[in-house]
Amino acid sequence: MDFWQRYRAIDARDTRFDGQFFTAVRTTGIYCRPSCPARTPKAENVTFYETSAAAHEAGYRACKRCLPEAVPGTPAWNLRSDIAGRAMRLINDGVINRDGVEGLAARLGYSSRQLNRILSHELGAGPLSLARASRAQTARTLLVSTTMKLADVAFAAGFSSVRQFNETVAEVFDMTPTALRGTARHHPSAPASTSLTLALPYREPFDPGVFSFLAVRAIPGIEAGTATSYARTLRLPHGDARFSVEYTGAGRDTGEAGTALGGKAEYDGGTHRRPLVLTIGAVDLRDLPALLSRVRRLFDLDADPVAIDGALGADPRLSASVAAAPGIRLPGALDPQELLIRAMVGQQITVAAARTALTQLAAAGSPSAAAGEGLSRLFPSPAQIAGAGAELLRGPQRRVESLLAVATALADSSLDLGYGDDLPGLSAKLLPQAGIGPWTVGYVAMRVIGAPDIFLANDAAVRNGIRALPGGSSGSGAAPSSDFREVSPWRSYATMHLWRAGASMPGNPTARRAQTSKVTMQ
């Protein structure tokens, strides 16, 4: 977007752009979200920034009226495959908190000096400033949403000391942590348990089919899902965690969590939306930023569904599907290594068969230190799969051997993949591995790095979906392309629609299973 496109967005107070850029006003010294209800500033007094960190660096503080930190993130980090996009995915996952700037730079293949120069040029702030802005956002969320002690908030947000926490909050929000907590519309009462409850911001529309996608693949004892909820255990850098996400009924009172991260007070675009409520049953506080980031990735909560649906709906083949399921989401991955194993197990078999095989493989996993709510185990680590997988995996010997070889490579770090990869990098890492082809690379790219423009042309369910769609032609009168290039760069979302359409075909056994279990996505 150029300057005037952004200026028209803030003049219209378009909530769709909240989180995608920030508006700084020189005459007031503050920065706002695009939908800020304050009077539109004169164009000559406005500077737009890609990130809130860049606005901080330029000396601006957050607006107390529109709360620009309480919005969904930008989808740009998935759209961008450059160093800036890859770095932001890792920063949001807490890499700087754990490994410092040197660790982030090493993962991206640059020196820390080079990385600082690149990010400062592309995003207006260096890696430390970007991480600091992320910590400030997490801290604000916890302050207004929970009754956690201030020291616990400081370390949970990733600050190395309470003093650093106090100074950052004062500089960014122009108030003390105690005063910031006092801005909560509904002050949280003391919790009856040790769990944390937060509502997650997202852009409407939101299609809850992502819950069904996860539910039909859920491994008993590790995951549990319904058409409106999902829960699981998870291994994080500092320990085990357990969480659940629920798509609650309209109008349900979620307390300050609802206003802090997605409710009426802070981010609903003036409408009463159904909250997405995250309940964290157990987590090491040092892992909280990473958990929040991964849950957002799992449900694709930073997506811009209006832009995506606009492109997909313009294709006659997809228009009916988009109208029936607006706001479809691209499921992410909580653990990149686990996702690769699951993708390999699921090659050329049905979802139900893959779930059975993974349930058998899950016996190699260890009990979870965060057990509860019927969830007691962790998905096995690559080392555990390499050690015990031969006795648990079934199928052709070559496939079993390929999977064990990949698990061994993941365990000894000779194969490494994560949120900081790009599509060419994933292809270079994965295609030389026995048993991994273009389908697996594409599927992993869709779910691990959120690549938005993947089309799995050889996927049987995609082909079924194409046959299930109504015929149509492009607006120019030419025959539509077989790879759906007309909807680029959103072909991953087209793939999700095609999976859904294929699962709904009359006579499709998968569709019958889906109807029985209320699962609507293949």
Side-chain angles (χ1 to χ4, degrees), residues 13 19 24 43 52 75 107 114 137 192 194 209 243 246 272 291 320 409 412 432 467 491-492 494 507 511:
R13 292 167 178 77
S52 61
R107 292 184 183 222
Q114 288 175 312
Q137 182 174 1
T194 57
F243 73 90
E246 182 182 3
H272 292 279
L291 178 59
D412 65 20
R467 288 194 290 269
R491 290 185 295 173
S492 295

Side-chain angles (χ1 to χ4, degrees), residues 394-409:
R394 301 290 181 267
Q397 187 62 27
R398 286 186 60 186
R399 181 179 297 177
V400 172
E401 290 175 351
S402 297
L403 206 154
L404 293 176
V406 167
T408 300

Side-chain angles (χ1 to χ4, degrees), residues 374-447:
L375 304 177
S376 59
R377 302 187 66 80
L378 294 168
F379 190 85
S381 67
Q384 290 171 328
I385 294 172
E391 291 76 34
L392 298 171
L393 291 166
R394 301 290 181 267
Q397 187 62 27
R398 286 186 60 186
R399 181 179 297 177
V400 172
E401 290 175 351
S402 297
L403 206 154
L404 293 176
V406 167
T408 300
L410 290 171
D412 65 20
S413 298
S414 59
L415 174 61
D416 179 45
L417 72 155
Y419 302 116
D421 284 314
D422 57 11
L423 183 56
L426 276 179
S427 299
K429 291 178 181 180
L430 297 180
L431 287 178
Q433 307 292 325
I436 295 181
W439 180 91
T440 303
V441 173
Y443 184 75
V444 170
M446 286 173 62
R447 298 203 55 189

Side-chain angles (χ1 to χ4, degrees), residues 287-343:
D287 287 326
L288 186 57
L291 178 59
L292 293 175
S293 175
R294 294 186 190 194
V295 169
R296 293 195 63 79
R297 294 190 66 81
L298 179 66
F299 290 95
D300 196 17
L301 298 184
D302 293 333
D304 182 353
V306 173
I308 295 166
D309 288 354
L312 301 185
D315 190 306
R317 295 167 294 180
L318 294 171
S319 57
S321 181
V322 171
I328 203 166
R329 302 297 163 131
L330 180 63
L334 291 167
D335 184 320
Q337 295 185 341
E338 174 189 322
L339 194 281
L340 175 59
I341 296 295
R342 295 177 77 140

Side-chain angles (χ1 to χ4, degrees), residues 132 135 154 158-170:
R132 179 170 172 262
R135 292 174 194 142
F159 292 99
S160 58
S161 69
V162 174
R163 179 179 178 180
Q164 184 187 65
F165 161 69
N166 289 333
E167 291 176 347
T168 298
V169 169

Side-chain angles (χ1 to χ4, degrees), residues 81-141:
S81 59
D82 59 2
I83 294 300
R86 295 168 58 199
M88 285 304 302
R89 294 198 294 269
L90 290 172
I91 290 171
N92 289 336
D93 194 53
V95 168
I96 288 183
N97 294 346
R98 297 190 296 270
D99 304 327
V101 176
E102 292 289 345
L104 173 66
R107 292 184 183 222
L108 296 171
Y110 286 81
S111 70
S112 57
R113 183 176 179 180
Q114 288 175 312
L115 181 62
N116 185 74
R117 185 171 61 249
I118 291 171
L119 296 185
S120 296
H121 175 73
E122 292 289 330
L123 304 179
L128 280 177
S129 296
L130 292 164
R132 179 170 172 262
S134 179
R135 292 174 194 142
Q137 182 174 1
T138 302
R140 192 211 62 83
T141 298

